[in-house]
Amino acid sequence: MLKKFQYDLFVIGGGAGGLASSKASALLGKKVGMADFATPSPHATTWGTGGTCVNVGCVPTKLMPFSARMGEIRKDQIAAGFSGIDSDGKHNWQQLIETVQKHIKELNVRQESSLKDHGIDYYNKFAKFIDRHTIELTDIKGEKEIISAKNIIVCVGSRPMLYQDPKLVITSEDVFQQTIAPGKTLVIGASYVGLECAGFIHGFGYDTTVLVRTRVMRNFDQEMASKVEGYMSDNGIKFTKRAQLQSIQAIDNGKRRLVKWVRDGVAEEDTYDTVLYGIGRQASTKQLNLESIGVKIDARNYKIIADDYDRTTVDNIYAIGDCCLNRLEYTPIAVMAGRKLAKRLYGDSNEIMDYADVATTIYTPIEYGCIGLSEERALQKYGQDGIKIYRSHFKPLQWGFRKRDDAKYCGGKLIVHKESDRIIGFHYVGPEAAEVTQGFAVAMKMKCTKKDFDNTVPIHPSLAEEMILMK
């Protein structure tokens, strides 16, 4: 006799991948449940439905730099003839946080309403496996209940790595909710997350330094990363490079931090109001009890090992998104992977996720959009004689209202496979990088060539035209 389960599908994790896979499955007629619980950070930061992207990732990460640019635009307004503009007006950090959080909470409500509209049972509870079909759910009061499901998808995402004494630092999760202005800030780590945070904190007028151990944005094209760094440096953000962190301690009755590091063999130190720790992320799988039921996890970063069809080592348990090994950590990828998985499970599809040529944008003070291979990876794959590189340098038309020396950092790069003429790397540094890059992502998915770009009539004047006029 077949065992009857409470749910056809149960999803653990209410982020982008969980929302997409649960809704797609419900639309295909399945009984679906979802559990989502944001364990508070060491500073008691927590949030509602929507996962990292909505609450402490993509959404606030774009709203904060957008808000920071408002201060710079005042200078352009004066040059354009507007009167009554105070170019040195002060910023109210608390008001900014309240505005951003109001928008996020509206998104949380919409997400929960959408789950209800799809007939999905939503549990704001922490989930832990008992066996391959059974899950224990625990609410914030410690009360427990047990549910069962035929299939289970794990998409719990990742959280920032913590310093040895996490109360001494904040992370990218905390900065979007703290209502006290950061003041003089040290960002430890030069990943894209660290640079985004450093960019908007400085944009609101706070002294900001980035502590760099090796390279800035080391997983990205290094020529373009140097443009981002150069722009930020020229605009007042300090970079302390080749620095090895030694210690952080509280001073002034816990109000400030004394940070010590070694650079080129020389001990250095400084004091800060805020230290933001941004050295990487770790999958949120440790407390799910996965290994006890046979799901294999990578010992280094706790990521789940899943195949191309998102199957784990237990045949009814699947995993998608940032908590999986060898997956790009990016919200739209989790969304698409979740929908494709649902259609494979309950529809008539056998299509798997294609992780090649995924477009992304970094919301640093000067934005960076890219698709495909970096120059370093292209050289590694095809060799110097196998590729051809085109570059452009330009000054955005909208930057013409006033004298600016930082336009030298705007530029584009196309990496072309010589034999096929196919564009295998697209890189743009300048304003509105996401809007410029998105359309080209479609072309690259269709395996466009440099000749295709050459035969395209550009929109003029535009930023995007710089990417198709390279000779």
Side-chain angles (χ1 to χ4, degrees):
M1 183 177 177
L2 292 175
K3 182 178 179 180
K4 185 169 178 61
F5 298 105
Q6 189 174 344
Y7 293 102
D8 298 310
L9 173 70
F10 197 83
V11 178
I12 302 176
L19 292 167
S21 56
S22 62
K23 292 176 188 177
S25 300
L27 288 171
L28 290 166
K30 299 304 172 182
K31 177 64 175 173
V32 181
M34 171 192 283
D36 181 54
F37 184 84
T39 303
S41 79
H43 293 277
T45 301
T46 188
W47 53 85
T49 310
T52 296
C53 176
V54 168
N55 295 283
V56 290
C58 319
V59 172
T61 297
K62 186 160 187 179
L63 287 175
M64 298 288 266
F66 172 78
S67 303
R69 281 197 295 274
M70 295 298 101
E72 187 175 335
I73 287 173
R74 288 180 302 191
K75 300 173 185 176
D76 293 316
Q77 287 179 303
I78 292 170
F82 286 90
S83 60
I85 305 297
D86 182 2
S87 63
D88 296 316
K90 293 186 177 180
H91 178 261
N92 186 322
W93 175 273
Q94 182 174 340
Q95 182 178 331
L96 166 73
I97 295 300
E98 289 172 356
T99 301
V100 169
Q101 287 303 311
K102 181 176 181 290
H103 177 69
I104 289 172
K105 284 176 173 55
E106 289 171 356
L107 294 178
N108 296 151
V109 172
R110 279 158 51 182
Q111 297 285 15
E112 288 192 37
S113 296
S114 180
L115 290 171
K116 186 177 180 181
D117 291 343
H118 283 75
I120 298 167
D121 291 340
Y122 171 69
Y123 299 85
N124 183 209
K125 300 180 180 184
F126 184 83
K128 183 172 73 173
F129 282 90
I130 294 175
D131 61 43
R132 57 186 292 179
H133 291 290
T134 311
I135 296 170
E136 177 187 85
L137 302 175
T138 306
D139 67 16
I140 197 167
K141 296 178 182 179
E143 296 180 0
K144 303 178 185 297
E145 66 176 298
I146 305 297
I147 65 96
S148 64
K150 183 177 181 181
N151 291 316
I152 299 168
I153 299 176
V154 180
C155 43
V156 292
S158 60
R159 301 287 294 267
M161 292 183 181
L162 298 175
Y163 182 63
Q164 57 194 21
D165 185 349
K167 288 291 183 70
L168 293 174
V169 301
I170 65 169
T171 69
S172 58
E173 292 181 343
D174 304 303
V175 71
F176 301 118
Q177 291 192 26
Q178 65 170 23
T179 54
I180 299 174
K184 182 181 177 183
T185 300
L186 176 69
V187 176
I188 298 175
S191 66
Y192 72 90
V193 174
L195 296 191
E196 287 175 335
C197 292
F200 67 69
I201 290 171
H202 177 265
F204 294 120
Y206 303 104
D207 183 315
T208 307
T209 300
V210 181
L211 199 70
V212 187
R213 186 170 62 88
T214 53
R215 293 176 293 167
V216 170
M217 295 195 305
R218 64 179 182 176
N219 293 326
F220 292 85
D221 187 283
Q222 286 300 288
E223 179 184 3
M224 308 314 274
S226 69
K227 288 180 177 291
V228 173
E229 179 190 346
Y231 181 92
M232 293 175 68
S233 181
D234 278 9
N235 281 278
I237 298 173
K238 297 182 282 291
F239 286 83
T240 301
K241 307 186 80 170
R242 303 177 306 282
Q244 185 70 43
L245 177 67
Q246 297 297 301
S247 66
I248 304 171
Q249 66 183 83
I251 58 173
D252 296 342
N253 296 318
K255 294 179 180 178
R256 307 195 78 212
R257 303 289 182 261
L258 173 64
V259 183
K260 298 181 180 181
W261 62 87
V262 172
R263 177 167 56 159
D264 296 335
V266 178
E268 299 177 349
E269 65 180 56
D270 203 350
T271 57
Y272 300 91
D273 299 303
T274 298
V275 178
L276 192 152
Y277 201 64
I279 64 163
R281 298 177 70 85
Q282 201 170 65
S284 304
T285 60
K286 284 199 286 186
Q287 296 178 308
L288 299 184
N289 206 30
L290 286 164
E291 291 178 292
S292 70
I293 61 168
V295 176
K296 287 189 177 179
I297 294 175
D298 184 84
R300 295 165 300 170
N301 52 27
Y302 308 108
K303 293 199 170 192
I304 299 169
I305 297 170
D307 65 13
D308 290 343
Y309 288 83
D310 304 314
R311 296 173 298 207
T312 70
T313 45
V314 176
D315 61 15
N316 72 302
I317 299 175
Y318 301 81
I320 58 172
D322 294 8
C323 66
C324 295
L325 188 66
N326 298 325
R327 301 284 195 264
L328 296 172
E329 297 180 353
Y330 190 39
T331 294
I333 288 178
V335 171
M336 185 174 287
R339 289 173 180 159
K340 288 181 182 292
L341 173 56
K343 290 175 182 177
R344 289 197 304 273
L345 287 173
Y346 305 120
D348 56 2
S349 173
N350 199 40
E351 188 177 6
I352 62 172
M353 181 66 195
D354 179 7
Y355 293 93
D357 293 331
V358 173
T360 190
T361 293
I362 299 168
Y363 296 107
T364 36
I366 189 170
E367 296 178 357
Y368 170 32
C370 60
I371 315 165
L373 300 179
S374 65
E375 181 177 347
E376 290 78 12
R377 292 187 179 178
L379 286 169
Q380 189 178 47
K381 186 171 183 178
Y382 297 108
Q384 186 71 56
D385 295 333
I387 62 173
K388 191 171 184 179
I389 296 177
Y390 297 80
R391 294 178 173 87
S392 71
H393 304 278
F394 59 91
K395 180 178 181 178
L397 180 64
Q398 57 266 49
W399 285 13
F401 281 108
R402 56 190 169 89
K403 179 175 173 56
R404 298 180 62 140
D405 296 326
D406 50 11
K408 61 188 176 185
Y409 296 111
C410 294
K413 177 196 280 190
L414 295 177
I415 304 168
V416 178
H417 181 234
K418 274 187 180 179
E419 184 177 349
S420 65
D421 194 44
R422 183 187 167 195
I423 297 173
I424 56 175
F426 174 103
H427 302 270
Y428 167 91
V429 172
E432 304 297 340
E435 314 307 325
V436 170
T437 305
Q438 180 65 83
F440 289 107
V442 178
M444 287 193 63
K445 268 294 183 185
M446 299 176 71
K447 304 187 186 310
C448 64
T449 63
K450 181 63 171 67
K451 186 176 181 180
D452 292 328
F453 273 38
D454 294 340
N455 287 333
T456 300
V457 177
I459 297 172
H460 179 76
S462 69
L463 296 164
E465 70 177 319
E466 302 293 341
M467 299 305 297
I468 62 173
L469 293 176
M470 297 187 202
K471 304 298 181 185

